[in-house]
Amino acid sequence: MLKITAAALLLAAPAAFAESHGMAAGVMAEDQSVANGVVSASHVMAPENGWLVVHRTDAAMKPGPVVGHAPLRGGDNIDVAAILTEEVAPGEMLMLMVHSEAGGMATGDFEYTLGAAEDGPIKPGGELVMTVITAE
């Protein structure tokens, strides 16, 4: 017999609602000043609980080292602010990407390192969920 708890339904509801209403996973952000040590995304649609991860990148558009992250809940997230853990100079390109909470040792701890499976990028339809901005 399948037993579904109220907590399980509440955790699944935002992502299920988004999917059923045609809201695709995505990250919306604009070029912005990083002088305050924070990078913000105005809107993130996450298919599951996870992280907004800030990677360094360049014209090749490959994700580089992580320079910040912020928690996400599955579904709609508005005005997500990631504190930078390294200095970012004006003109640098940053990739804001959605990562999963899956695969790590501890829920609520960001455990990803470049190329690792723990808390790694999500890829609905085989594509990364991300956008690229330039620091001002």
Side-chain angles (χ1 to χ4, degrees):
M1 176 169 146
L2 179 63
K3 183 177 179 183
I4 298 175
T5 65
L9 288 173
L10 288 173
L11 288 173
F17 177 83
E19 188 174 308
S20 69
H21 285 79
M23 297 179 204
V27 179
M28 294 177 59
E30 297 181 7
D31 295 350
Q32 59 195 271
S33 171
V34 295
N36 63 355
V38 174
V39 172
S40 296
S42 58
H43 182 237
V44 180
M45 181 58 70
E48 60 188 71
N49 292 341
W51 305 95
L52 176 66
V53 179
V54 182
H55 291 268
R56 291 186 191 276
T57 193
D58 57 23
M61 296 297 181
K62 296 207 183 240
V66 173
V67 296
H69 65 278
L72 296 171
R73 65 178 162 256
D76 205 20
N77 296 264
I78 304 297
D79 194 24
V80 179
I83 295 174
L84 295 171
T85 56
E86 296 182 14
E87 283 201 34
V88 173
E92 285 190 68
M93 296 172 68
L94 300 172
M95 182 177 287
L96 283 61
M97 182 185 301
V98 178
H99 281 232
S100 174
E101 173 60 24
M105 297 295 287
T107 300
D109 290 338
F110 182 65
E111 302 172 75
Y112 178 80
T113 56
L114 199 56
E118 296 83 9
D119 297 345
I122 62 164
K123 296 181 183 179
E127 299 293 322
L128 294 171
V129 178
M130 60 86 177
T131 193
V132 175
I133 66 165
T134 301
E136 297 178 343

